[in-house]
Amino acid sequence: MHHHGYTWLGSAHDLLKDGPRHPPHPQFTSSKVVPLELAHWLLKPASFIHGTWTEPQEAAQWFAGQARASTASFASEHDRDTNRLANAVSRAADRVAGGEDVVGGWYMTGQRFLSVCLIACSPHRTRPDIPCPQAV
């Protein structure tokens, strides 16, 4: 079991366009917007992967680094709370160790949205039929 890291930063309006977020859509594989079903990240090109980890703490640290790099731009004061983020990172390591996906999503200033995901692979808990994108 390992986890792949994915990020997406874009217009919050793009999240409202469901078409490119579904695998049957012709733009699905080329679109970097977050898929509606998290396991579908594994259907995207391997070049979209920002890192791969077998160690839960290393994966959680990557997740934390991605979130912390943008904290000042989070639209909500609640989301900018460093204690809240530290708790999320602590839970992330436990979830990765349990083979779960970890997802962070934050609305940012300028009508943007940041998504940071750790997606379980080989096999994915709910989609064991999806192969590892690095093995394809």
Side-chain angles (χ1 to χ4, degrees):
M1 162 82 51
H2 57 271
H3 281 71
H4 297 299
Y6 297 90
T7 62
W8 177 74
L9 174 62
S11 168
H13 298 290
D14 288 343
L15 294 175
L16 302 175
K17 300 173 188 172
D18 287 352
R21 298 178 68 196
H22 285 285
H25 194 278
Q27 294 175 341
F28 175 78
T29 55
S30 63
S31 172
K32 291 189 177 185
V33 70
V34 178
L36 286 174
E37 184 177 335
L38 293 172
H40 287 164
W41 269 120
L42 301 174
L43 297 173
K44 301 269 189 178
S47 62
F48 286 16
I49 297 170
H50 290 271
T52 300
W53 301 271
T54 56
E55 293 298 323
Q57 287 298 329
E58 291 175 9
Q61 288 306 313
W62 174 83
F63 181 87
Q66 298 301 304
R68 285 186 187 120
S70 298
T71 303
S73 296
F74 290 171
S76 163
E77 184 177 325
H78 175 74
D79 288 337
R80 289 189 302 268
D81 180 349
T82 56
N83 290 329
R84 185 174 185 278
L85 185 57
N87 289 336
V89 170
S90 175
R91 288 189 309 271
D94 292 339
R95 293 170 84 193
V96 168
E100 298 178 42
D101 297 332
V102 177
V103 180
W106 300 272
Y107 283 97
M108 301 179 70
T109 57
Q111 298 183 352
R112 297 172 299 153
F113 189 84
L114 172 65
S115 174
V116 179
C117 301
L118 289 167
I119 306 298
C121 188
S122 294
H124 188 274
R125 174 181 272 185
T126 62
R127 294 290 192 160
D129 55 313
I130 298 177
C132 177
Q134 292 180 323
V136 175

